[in-house]
Amino acid sequence: MPSTARATTLTRRGLLAAGGALGLGAALVACGGDKKGGSAAAGAGKSGAWEFKDDRGQTVKLASVPKNIVAFTGTAAALKDFGVEVKGVFGPTTVKDPKTGEVKPDVQAGDLDVKKVTVIGNVWGEFRIEEYLKLQPEVLITDMWEKDALWYVPEEQKDKILKIAPSVALWAAGKSMPAVLQRHVDLAASLGADVRAKQIQDDKARFEAAAERVRKAAKAKKGIKVLIGSGAPDTFYVSAPARPTDTLFFQELGVDLIVPDKLDPTGWFELLSWENADKYKADVILLDNRTSALQPDALKAKPTWAALPAVKAGQVFPRVTEPVYSYAKCAPLLEDLAKALENAKKVA
């Protein structure tokens, strides 16, 4: 597993730590155009035609609103919360319980019925083109962590994949969470979702109330230092908060996040050996909750982890590193953070 990456690429493991997705040794390479992006959806016009301008600035135009949609798992989960179903997914969708062998939804699958969607790829680098073709896709939708890089679309297969159906990419980094949520609302609306439905409006109100609760908790607990971390067998990653959508929003709400001072060339994180895992004095640790990151039970074997003040105080909480960008999923994320801050004590 590479521990560093060139500034123009990100390792899959690196984005595991920073707030991207998972992996060992794979690197992102830019793909797509270089146009200016970021407008709202056009949706279906009077003629029934559909168009959408994505965050690359590329506009997809189809004769009608697409029904055969294939999407990155997290994006598909967000669309489902807004009322849009997809036919196929790629990205972390299912995990197998090592003890029972039972197959369960991955944390990134949200409320997707993983038995009803076609999974054309479940891990980094896996994208079964034959299965993709069988779905007769009209559009492929995914995230974008670096400009023009299509998340979980394998670079070596990219050209073939993009000839089959047009693609839509939405930012999953570099923008604050409310802005990213709005873009997912735009997309869902263009695909026929009733984004003014009561449930969605209630979810939005809950999200806004949760954000205000975080703001109040952060103000009341000035001086509480929060570290964003991710554990790997040989490395403890400390994420820089300025690029992931969630941590950027946390900062805007006043949460005192630790900013690492020796970032790797990508600018996403600092890599610490476990011997140096105590470099930053944190009162609270938000720990990557994804299935390929080491969780607290596995980290108990690391002496320096067990000795951290936040760990001793029981102030380690899961971080939803790759949020499902719907109000229904992001509201609980903020509520959990607010509760953690409200109960936090100065221990570092």
Side-chain angles (χ1 to χ4, degrees):
M1 179 185 70
S3 61
T4 59
R6 297 190 308 274
T8 54
T9 62
L10 285 173
T11 64
R12 178 183 167 210
R13 187 70 211 180
L15 275 176
L16 163 66
L22 323 171
L24 304 175
L28 283 176
V29 181
C31 66
D34 58 359
K35 302 174 185 177
K36 186 177 180 181
S39 76
K46 292 181 180 179
S47 66
W50 180 81
E51 68 177 67
F52 184 84
K53 189 175 182 180
D54 76 358
D55 290 349
R56 295 170 297 179
Q58 297 184 6
T59 300
V60 175
K61 296 182 180 182
L62 298 174
S64 61
V65 176
K67 300 300 181 185
N68 292 352
I69 301 168
V70 176
F72 170 68
T73 302
T75 310
L79 289 174
K80 180 176 178 59
D81 285 349
F82 290 122
V84 177
E85 300 286 347
V86 306
K87 292 290 184 68
V89 296
F90 55 96
T93 308
T94 62
V95 292
K96 183 179 289 188
D97 189 306
K99 295 181 180 179
T100 66
E102 181 183 359
V103 176
K104 299 180 179 180
D106 187 273
V107 293
Q108 295 183 60
D111 292 331
L112 285 176
D113 188 336
V114 298
K115 295 180 180 179
K116 290 186 177 180
V117 295
T118 299
V119 182
I120 62 174
N122 196 49
V123 296
W124 182 269
E126 181 180 67
F127 194 110
R128 291 188 288 273
I129 294 181
E130 295 80 6
E131 295 299 315
Y132 183 52
L133 282 166
K134 289 178 184 178
L135 294 173
Q136 298 182 315
E138 296 171 87
V139 66
L140 179 147
I141 304 172
T142 190
D143 285 348
M144 184 168 61
W145 287 84
E146 294 284 358
K147 182 63 177 173
D148 300 325
L150 300 183
W151 196 231
Y152 268 79
V153 175
E155 173 64 17
E156 63 275 12
Q157 295 175 286
K158 179 194 67 177
D159 291 343
K160 290 183 180 179
I161 292 168
L162 296 183
K163 286 179 181 177
I164 297 169
S167 62
V168 167
L170 296 182
W171 276 116
K175 306 280 186 181
S176 185
M177 181 175 280
V180 174
L181 277 165
Q182 183 58 54
R183 289 295 286 143
H184 284 74
V185 172
D186 293 342
L187 177 59
S190 81
L191 293 169
D194 179 7
V195 296
R196 296 182 179 85
K198 184 179 184 301
Q199 184 61 60
I200 294 174
Q201 293 305 307
D202 288 348
D203 291 338
K204 183 178 181 181
R206 180 183 174 188
F207 173 83
E208 291 170 345
E212 185 58 30
R213 182 179 169 189
V214 171
R215 191 189 305 276
K216 291 179 178 178
K219 185 176 181 180
K221 291 297 179 79
K222 285 288 186 183
I224 294 292
K225 296 283 187 179
V226 180
L227 182 145
I228 309 296
S230 183
D234 301 317
T235 309
F236 185 51
Y237 295 86
V238 179
S239 292
R243 295 183 72 183
T245 68
D246 59 334
T247 55
L248 179 56
F249 190 39
F250 298 166
Q251 283 189 314
E252 292 172 356
L253 294 172
V255 180
D256 191 353
L257 298 181
I258 289 172
V259 179
D261 55 25
K262 291 185 179 180
L263 299 180
D264 88 310
T266 70
W268 283 88
F269 50 81
E270 180 173 356
L271 301 109
L272 298 176
S273 66
W274 280 109
E275 290 78 8
N276 297 313
D278 59 353
K279 176 178 177 179
Y280 297 104
K281 310 305 178 186
D283 302 294
V284 171
I285 296 174
L286 299 183
L287 189 69
D288 191 341
N289 77 327
R290 289 171 299 177
T291 51
S292 68
L294 296 183
Q295 300 305 307
D297 284 348
L299 290 172
K300 288 178 181 177
K302 306 287 187 184
T304 48
W305 169 261
L308 294 175
V311 177
K312 286 183 175 181
Q315 295 185 165
V316 177
F317 306 96
R319 175 200 174 203
V320 182
T321 307
E322 280 193 75
V324 171
Y325 287 111
S326 70
Y327 295 114
K329 295 298 183 295
C330 289
L333 180 157
L334 293 176
E335 290 166 349
D336 290 345
L337 175 61
K339 183 177 180 181
L341 292 174
E342 289 162 355
N343 295 324
K345 298 179 181 179
K346 188 71 180 173
V347 295

